[in-house]
């Protein structure tokens, strides 16, 4: 994958009822071949508690929608919570994925391509 394909341009999150709506705007389209992951890393200010939320695509189709806590807990969500069209990916995560993170938490976005880090520490616009 070249560095010009599928770069995260803008990432935002918003609270909607009991859902954390994460919107990932990418430069270009979701790659049609190979693995591609977009997601969020949420952490307490001291990084003692972290959660990694992601949406994985294989050959252009969503195959996994999950939240992994660094305490060893992993939740997999129904793929019906993922919407994607062209250059926009939306993940409707349960709000419980970030409950318990205090004000002042850290939130960044990431992407991976074919198992390798592609982008990290991408700023996230928050409306919580």
């Amino acid at each position: 994958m070249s560095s010009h394909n599928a770069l995260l341009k803008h990432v935002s999150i918003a609270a909607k009822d009991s859902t954390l709506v994460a919107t990932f705007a990418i430069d270009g389209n979701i790659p049609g071949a190979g693995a591609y992951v977009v997601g969020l890393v949420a952490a307490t200010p001291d990084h003692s508690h972290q959660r990694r939320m992601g949406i994985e695509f294989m050959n252009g189709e969503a195959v996994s929608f999950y939240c992994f806590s660094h305490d060893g807990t992993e939740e997999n969500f129904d793929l019906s919570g993922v919407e994607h069209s062209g250059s926009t990916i939306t993940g409707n995560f349960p709000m419980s994925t970030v409950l318990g993170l205090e004000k002042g938490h850290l939130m960044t976005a990431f992407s991976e391509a074919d198992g390798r880090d592609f982008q990290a520490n991408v700023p996230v616009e928050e409306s919580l």
Side-chain angles (χ1 to χ4, degrees), residues 50-123:
Q50 295 182 26
R51 297 188 182 114
R52 186 174 174 97
M53 297 163 271
I55 304 167
E56 181 176 3
F57 294 85
M58 183 60 71
N59 300 327
E61 294 300 319
V63 295
S64 183
F65 183 38
Y66 62 88
C67 178
F68 174 79
S69 295
H70 287 187
D71 65 4
T73 307
E74 183 174 348
E75 291 182 82
N76 290 294
F77 309 117
D78 190 290
L79 288 173
S80 65
V82 176
E83 301 166 17
H84 59 96
S85 176
S87 62
T88 303
I89 301 165
T90 303
N92 296 288
F93 293 91
M95 189 60 79
S96 61
T97 58
V98 292
L99 288 180
L101 289 176
E102 57 201 53
K103 271 199 179 302
H105 64 267
L106 306 172
M107 179 83 67
T108 59
F110 69 91
S111 65
E112 298 174 353
D114 292 326
R116 292 185 302 270
D117 290 341
F118 194 48
Q119 288 176 282
N121 299 317
V122 175

Side-chain angles (χ1 to χ4, degrees), residues 1-33:
M1 173 180 291
S2 83
S3 60
H4 299 290
N5 294 332
L7 286 172
L8 290 172
K9 293 191 315 183
H10 184 262
V11 181
S12 64
I13 59 171
K16 184 177 179 188
D17 302 320
S18 61
T19 304
L20 175 74
V21 180
T23 304
F24 302 88
I26 59 176
D27 187 13
N29 291 314
I30 297 166

